[in-house]
Amino acid sequence: IIDDVGNSWARGLQAIRLPGPVAISVIPDLPYSTQLAQHAHGRRKDVILHMPMEPMERKELLSPIGLTTDMDADRIMQSMESGFESVPHAVAMNNHMGSEYTSNTAAMARLMSVLREQNPKIFFIDSLTTPNSKVRKKATEYGIPALARDVFLDNERDETAIERQFDKLVAIARQRGYAIAIGHPYQET
């Protein structure tokens, strides 16, 4: 999965042009969100709504439609509708930031309830921005298929470090039969 797509047309296209089963995870309401989601879909790439969610730190980075732990179901529904409208063709959703949100049991229950009602065919991929994530537990309770990322490819923006993470991804996939990596549209990645 290449996360954080939507701010740069050139970097978004570069991610979309990657060969193989690379999903494109688009942050809603950025300058190129809708166009890049449409282009990725046209290139037969899976599109993911990379929904901003409340982090533990740096809360000022949360976008206006970002999900916060104090939102009720109606406000979550409004934000999600806006997100899916901005990112057409999304087959899944994953969290952008979200360490505070995904570790909050009540907030995740409200989100999964809304997601089930709003778009029952969507599945959720936990970016695992916190080891205290409640995503899989709540997704299971609400009948939402969910998976979690195994490897962040580019926490270190160094090609050697990225290669090590990619090797780790391949080892997990060989052992388990599949693996999920998240990277970003960085030149190094």
Side-chain angles (χ1 to χ4, degrees):
I1 299 168
I2 300 296
D3 269 356
D4 296 356
V5 171
N7 220 13
S8 165
W9 179 255
R11 286 187 178 186
L13 285 181
Q14 196 172 24
I16 291 166
R17 290 178 180 145
L18 287 170
V22 177
I24 306 301
S25 188
V26 182
I27 298 174
D29 290 343
L30 293 180
Y32 303 103
S33 300
T34 303
Q35 298 94 322
L36 286 167
Q38 290 170 332
H39 189 69
H41 177 72
R43 296 281 304 251
R44 296 193 169 104
K45 297 288 185 182
D46 285 335
V47 176
I48 298 172
L49 171 61
H50 195 35
M51 192 67 186
M53 297 183 189
E54 183 178 354
M56 287 186 189
E57 298 175 3
R58 311 259 344 250
K59 294 180 192 272
E60 73 278 4
L61 296 177
L62 192 62
S63 75
I65 70 160
L67 303 178
T68 59
T69 56
D70 62 349
M71 284 181 157
D72 64 17
D74 288 339
R75 287 181 56 213
I76 294 170
M77 179 79 76
Q78 290 169 358
S79 285
M80 297 292 292
E81 285 173 356
S82 179
F84 281 111
E85 185 178 313
S86 177
V87 182
H89 310 292
V91 297
M93 177 179 161
N94 73 333
N95 52 295
H96 174 57
M97 304 183 300
S99 53
E100 181 76 31
Y101 197 94
T102 60
S103 63
N104 185 300
T105 303
M108 286 308 306
R110 287 190 299 274
L111 173 60
M112 292 301 170
S113 175
V114 167
L115 194 56
R116 181 180 63 192
E117 180 183 328
Q118 185 181 48
N119 205 333
K121 293 181 181 179
I122 291 291
F123 62 97
F124 199 101
I125 299 173
D126 188 355
S127 299
L128 277 179
T129 56
T130 175
N132 301 319
S133 175
K134 307 294 188 254
V135 168
R136 302 245 349 236
K137 182 178 189 301
K138 288 297 155 189
T140 300
E141 286 177 21
Y142 284 86
I144 306 290
L147 294 168
R149 148 300 296 144
D150 295 297
V151 175
F152 269 127
L153 290 176
D154 50 15
N155 274 348
E156 291 180 57
R157 285 179 66 173
D158 170 78
E159 288 184 27
T160 303
I162 292 168
E163 283 181 33
R164 276 195 307 271
Q165 290 299 95
F166 195 82
D167 290 343
K168 192 175 177 182
L169 172 74
V170 170
I172 294 168
R174 283 188 176 137
Q175 180 181 17
R176 192 174 61 205
Y178 73 94
I180 299 172
I182 293 178
H184 299 85
Y186 305 144
Q187 191 60 45
E188 300 88 348
T189 307

